[in-house]
Amino acid sequence: MADQKCRSSVRHRGYDFLQQNDINNDSYSKSGKRVQPKHAKQYEEKIWMILLGFYLFTIAVIFKADRTLPMPKTQNTAQPGEFCEERARLHLLALTDLGDRLVGSYANEVLAVNYLVKSLKQVQKDAKPTHRILIDVQTVTGSFSLNFLGGFTSYYANVKNVVVKIGPQHESGHSLLVNCHYDSVVNSPGASDDAVSCAVMLEVLFQLSQLDEALPNSIVMNFNGAEENVLQASHGFITQHPWAKDIRAFINLEAAGAGGRELVFQTGPENPWLISTYEKSAVYPYGNVFGQEIFQTGIIPSDTDFRIYRDFGKIPGIDIAYISNGYVYHTKWDNPDFIPAGSIQRAGENLFATVKNIAASPYLAHPGDYRHGNMVFFDILGAYMVLYPQRVAMILNVLVLVAVLLGFARKVADKSTEGYHGSLFFKKLLAVTGIIVLSWTVAIIVNALLALFLSVTGHAMSWFTNSYLIGGLYEAPALFSAIAVHHLAKELCFKSESDPWKLESIHFDATMMLWSALLAVLTYHGICSSYVPLTWVIFPLICRDRVVAFLQFAFKEKGQRFFYLYIASLSFPFLITSYLLVGIYQMFVPVMGRVGTEVNPDLVISMVGIISLVIKTNFLSLVFVTRTIRKVLCILFAMTVVSYILVLFTPLGFPYSGNPRKPTPQRSIIHHVERHFYDMAGQVEKHDQGIWHIPFDHVSVEPLLQHNAALKNAALADCVGDMYCGMPYYLPMATMMK
């Protein structure tokens, strides 16, 4: 009866998802009346449903932000001085209607050039008299060495650049370069890569020509005609064009997807004033220094003209690219229909404002102190961009690390604080840290085994078309493993612990220590992405540690108030890290279809699932203060089982799709090859011919075997006896694609 009264009292006070501990954990007064111990309450499993709701709400907000595009302006609705998507889209349609624009083809060398020159002359004719517009068609020959893929020397002859300069009547001798390329790969209209950028530039040029006052510095726009041949025309421009000597900075426009939001994914070298100007100018900022540091590692099999202007022109710049729907990149589906309404408007408004402000900036000619240093930058849901100098980041990071150490010292020495003290604090801290690391290790092993299982059973890349399956295939098993390890630790290692809230508190300290360790390592190596662990340290440190200390009266019992403060303390770091993770999935899932046969994409994606687990680690402390988590484990296990059943026994597990509305094709190159092998005397010692099939992903030819019997007798190229596998690779990719 006493227990029932106690539960009723708790519900009345609002703690309806709490449950009192068993009577064995209670104490008694001298009169024999039972007294509840401090922190005796534990949460019911329904708090995990609240966490699930919090997670789903966060993901929904991120997807909403990612898919929100401005209303496109038409020629009737656009005001003077406003970018007009309708006009830009007309340029896009005109370029893509020319068909494939391969370097050397009539469409690329004649038709595209003629259209661009005609459009530029029309802008020149309609321009306000304050502007001086010059047009030039450069035909250039040259060569250079490039440390890309396997490294090679590139020779080019008679490639073209269509170049226009707009500036004041009396030139300042300083220019901003804006670059796109109008050529395309074979069998692709090249709408997003990169005709849409050229269309945006034409409309921006028109708007610049209609300004009443000329900008103080010139803007050079290079419509280059040989990027897909691996960055040749940009090299010809920056090393041989007479206007190149005045270029002080550049903006490169590229694509690794079709439409959506354009991402600033690398800047520099140094010159932080560029990204600062972008932040002040862009109407819809979207960029992250994490993307810059990942791209510059070379793990993404792409490169852009940014490299050429940076390395051969020795000038700083901003690299901007579309990344959404990378499935259609370099395919026949890269057409204007896959560039959604509003995408061009967004890119145009951002570029127009940024170009104007960079060209008007005094730092273009004289960057001074802003020539050196890097910036930490990241956007918040595309609404606002946070940026601060790297030197400030290092100071801030060190101060936060010191604050964490002082907090630990206070907990060791001050016995008035809750939790463990003295040497016991360090023993428990190391024990719980070990449990966290063990949970990650188990999750890594489980995910790796699952990835290998899918590969061995012929179900590799089963998530490629239906990427939501990743949640059940890899994220749910990883979370299940981590929660199970924490639960077993609670039941086996800490069974004698009378106050589970001490365990929750020390788990909080352990996660702070791990995030702080990562923060320290990244800070030491000068990595700007250290802002990620910084948020996971500073916000819980302020909200969870200091707010509770100042408002002890409000949080003296670990009830609803504490739970919601707990979520609040993790909301911002969880939001920006999940936002970053969604971008990683958005980029890497389609990229797995073109990384080559030697990379196991399931292992890669399964490890991204581990990253997803790591950012949920802070929430795992609740395992210690939840009476039971069996239902949570059952739900995660059921999600995993259902996902694997769908993949193994239904068509959902087939990786590719030819759906014309959402194509996710398998990529291959097929050549008819005739080979002649010569000995040292110049005599033919071997001659053969055949079909050379080059798969772009790990699945290789397996899906084609049942449709083409000849493939069953196909043989791998001899990469041991013959130089470079004896095959006429156009690019040095033998180590990637076999």
Side-chain angles (χ1 to χ4, degrees):
M1 178 63 78
D3 281 346
Q4 185 62 40
K5 288 180 180 179
C6 182
R7 293 190 187 100
S8 299
S9 173
V10 171
R11 290 192 186 96
H12 176 71
R13 294 173 59 185
Y15 301 127
D16 58 336
F17 52 66
L18 294 172
Q19 181 71 37
Q20 296 285 358
N21 275 345
D22 294 334
I23 189 169
N24 293 333
N25 289 335
D26 296 338
S27 58
Y28 293 82
S29 66
K30 292 181 179 180
S31 62
K33 185 177 180 180
R34 188 172 64 189
V35 178
Q36 299 295 339
K38 188 177 181 181
H39 306 329
K41 301 181 180 66
Q42 292 193 57
Y43 293 130
E44 290 296 317
E45 273 188 300
K46 64 180 69 175
I47 67 161
W48 293 86
M49 299 308 296
I50 297 175
L51 287 178
L52 176 61
F54 167 70
Y55 172 75
L56 294 177
F57 175 76
T58 302
I59 298 301
V61 168
I62 292 170
F63 274 89
K64 174 65 176 175
D66 185 60
R67 285 158 174 73
T68 299
L69 297 171
M71 184 68 68
K73 287 183 170 61
T74 67
Q75 298 184 58
N76 293 328
T77 61
Q79 300 298 315
E82 288 186 335
F83 183 92
C84 175
E85 175 171 322
E86 184 182 35
R87 265 194 304 265
R89 193 170 282 271
L90 291 175
H91 291 305
L92 172 62
L93 293 172
L95 286 170
T96 54
D97 283 348
L98 301 176
D100 301 356
R101 299 175 304 285
L102 306 179
V103 176
S105 69
Y106 185 74
N108 193 69
E109 308 303 323
V110 179
L111 298 181
V113 172
N114 289 346
Y115 178 79
L116 290 169
V117 171
K118 177 183 175 182
S119 300
L120 295 175
K121 286 183 175 179
Q122 187 63 49
V123 172
Q124 186 182 47
K125 177 182 176 182
D126 298 336
K128 295 285 181 71
T130 54
H131 303 281
R132 181 169 180 254
I133 298 179
L134 302 175
I135 301 170
D136 182 50
V137 177
Q138 180 194 29
T139 302
V140 63
T141 298
S143 66
F144 61 99
S145 296
L146 192 63
N147 185 24
F148 175 56
L149 300 175
F152 59 96
T153 297
S154 177
Y155 173 83
Y156 55 91
N158 302 318
V159 300
K160 287 185 170 61
N161 289 299
V162 180
V163 194
V164 59
K165 178 192 282 189
I166 180 172
Q169 293 295 338
H170 302 285
E171 293 191 24
S172 67
H174 308 288
S175 301
L176 167 69
L177 172 67
V178 186
N179 179 81
C180 72
H181 69 89
Y182 59 85
D183 63 312
S184 71
V185 297
V186 64
N187 294 331
S188 176
S192 63
D193 185 26
D194 189 34
V196 67
S197 296
C198 295
V200 168
M201 283 169 52
L202 286 170
E203 172 61 11
V204 167
L205 178 66
F206 171 74
Q207 294 298 336
L208 290 170
S209 73
Q210 299 304 302
L211 295 176
D212 293 328
E213 295 184 10
L215 295 169
N217 298 302
S218 298
I219 297 169
V220 175
M221 293 189 174
N222 183 25
F223 301 82
N224 90 63
E227 191 270 352
E228 299 296 357
N229 273 21
V230 193
L231 321 178
Q232 293 175 338
S234 58
H235 180 269
F237 170 80
I238 202 63
T239 58
Q240 300 185 47
H241 199 282
W243 295 347
K245 68 180 186 302
D246 294 332
I247 302 295
R248 303 290 178 260
F250 69 92
I251 298 175
N252 183 55
L253 304 178
E254 257 295 352
R261 300 187 298 162
E262 76 288 354
L263 171 73
V264 173
F265 66 97
Q266 58 179 336
T267 67
E270 300 192 276
N271 287 269
W273 68 272
L274 280 171
I275 188 63
S276 180
T277 305
Y278 169 85
E279 180 269 333
K280 293 180 175 67
S281 308
V283 185
Y284 315 101
Y286 182 36
N288 200 299
V289 71
F290 178 82
Q292 170 176 300
E293 292 175 333
I294 288 293
F295 189 83
Q296 291 178 355
T297 63
I299 65 174
I300 298 176
S302 296
D303 213 336
T304 74
D305 288 318
F306 181 96
R307 175 195 289 265
I308 299 298
Y309 295 131
R310 179 195 65 194
D311 295 352
F312 293 94
K314 305 301 180 183
I315 51 177
I318 301 176
D319 215 359
I320 303 175
Y322 294 105
I323 63 169
S324 297
N325 194 13
Y327 298 107
V328 304
Y329 170 77
H330 281 191
T331 72
K332 67 178 182 180
W333 284 285
D334 185 11
N335 60 58
D337 293 339
F338 283 96
I339 299 176
S343 180
I344 297 175
Q345 185 68 40
R346 175 196 159 88
E349 290 184 25
N350 280 345
L351 182 65
F352 184 36
T354 303
V355 163
K356 284 193 299 181
N357 288 334
I358 291 179
S361 172
Y363 301 125
L364 182 66
H366 306 289
D369 292 339
Y370 291 95
R371 184 187 302 275
H372 302 292
N374 293 309
M375 278 282 191
V376 176
F377 63 93
F378 59 94
D379 73 289
I380 302 174
L381 301 178
Y384 180 75
M385 178 167 277
V386 177
L387 74 165
Y388 49 95
Q390 185 182 29
R391 61 181 181 276
V392 173
M394 295 189 71
I395 295 171
L396 178 60
N397 293 353
V398 170
L399 290 176
V400 169
L401 290 171
V402 170
V404 171
L405 291 175
L406 291 176
F408 284 173
R410 179 175 57 85
K411 291 180 179 181
V412 171
D414 187 359
K415 295 186 178 181
S416 65
T417 59
E418 71 172 4
Y420 301 102
H421 307 95
S423 61
L424 184 60
F425 172 83
F426 286 112
K427 290 179 181 179
K428 295 291 186 180
L429 181 66
L430 292 176
V432 175
T433 301
I435 290 167
I436 294 173
V437 174
L438 177 63
S439 71
W440 292 348
T441 304
V442 171
I444 289 171
I445 294 171
V446 168
N447 271 18
L449 290 175
L450 291 173
L452 293 175
F453 168 76
L454 288 176
S455 299
V456 170
T457 57
H459 293 87
M461 295 179 65
S462 52
W463 36 262
F464 187 66
T465 294
N466 303 302
S467 56
Y468 60 84
L469 288 172
I470 295 172
L473 295 176
Y474 295 124
E475 292 201 1
L479 187 57
F480 175 92
S481 302
I483 291 178
V485 169
H486 279 71
H487 178 65
L488 288 174
K490 175 186 176 182
E491 296 298 322
L492 299 178
C493 302
F494 302 112
K495 189 173 183 180
S496 61
E497 180 59 63
S498 61
D499 187 357
W501 284 98
K502 284 187 176 181
L503 294 176
E504 192 280 333
S505 179
I506 203 69
H507 189 281
F508 167 77
D509 292 327
T511 55
M512 291 287 283
M513 186 177 74
L514 289 169
W515 284 116
S516 296
L518 178 60
L519 176 62
V521 170
L522 297 184
T523 302
Y524 176 79
H525 290 284
I527 297 175
C528 293
S529 297
S530 60
Y531 81 87
V532 175
L534 175 67
T535 60
W536 281 103
V537 175
I538 195 169
F539 282 90
L541 186 66
I542 293 172
C543 297
R544 166 75 184 264
D545 203 26
R546 294 295 83 206
V547 171
V548 171
F550 283 116
L551 300 176
Q552 290 184 6
F553 66 91
F555 303 105
K556 61 183 178 181
E557 295 187 48
K558 305 288 187 173
Q560 279 184 337
R561 291 176 181 174
F562 180 83
F563 177 72
Y564 291 126
L565 175 71
Y566 181 89
I567 292 179
S569 70
L570 302 176
S571 294
F572 183 74
F574 187 72
L575 173 66
I576 66 164
T577 315
S578 297
Y579 182 54
L580 185 59
L581 185 64
V582 168
I584 291 173
Y585 276 127
Q586 189 178 51
M587 169 65 80
F588 274 88
V589 169
V591 163
M592 290 300 103
R594 53 187 177 91
V595 292
T597 57
E598 305 310 293
V599 174
N600 187 323
D602 276 271
L603 281 175
V604 174
I605 296 300
S606 69
M607 292 305 106
V608 177
I610 298 300
I611 297 175
S612 178
L613 167 65
V614 169
I615 69 174
K616 299 183 181 79
T617 299
N618 288 62
F619 297 101
L620 297 182
S621 66
L622 294 175
V623 172
F624 294 121
V625 290
T626 306
R627 287 183 64 83
T628 177
I629 54 163
R630 292 175 184 172
K631 290 181 182 178
V632 176
L633 292 174
C634 287
I635 290 172
L636 290 172
F637 184 75
M639 285 178 59
T640 303
V641 170
V642 169
S643 298
Y644 277 85
I645 289 174
L646 292 175
V647 162
L648 296 174
F649 302 110
T650 76
L652 284 175
F654 187 72
Y656 313 109
S657 171
N659 183 346
R661 294 184 178 181
K662 189 184 176 182
T664 54
Q666 184 182 32
R667 298 164 185 266
S668 298
I669 293 178
I670 299 175
H671 293 295
H672 184 195
V673 176
E674 183 177 3
R675 304 189 300 173
H676 297 266
F677 293 85
Y678 295 85
D679 59 21
M680 296 301 293
Q683 301 298 314
V684 176
E685 61 179 8
K686 185 170 63 174
H687 166 246
D688 61 17
Q689 61 178 314
I691 301 298
W692 183 28
H693 182 277
I694 310 173
F696 270 54
D697 64 36
H698 190 69
V699 177
S700 190
V701 298
E702 293 301 322
L704 303 175
L705 292 178
Q706 58 182 313
H707 304 289
N708 191 330
L711 282 174
K712 295 180 180 179
N713 300 319
L716 292 174
D718 182 4
C719 294
V720 177
D722 296 324
M723 183 177 66
Y724 220 77
C725 304
M727 304 304 290
Y729 280 92
Y730 181 71
L731 294 172
M733 303 173 72
T735 57
M736 291 176 58
M737 300 170 182
K738 297 181 180 179

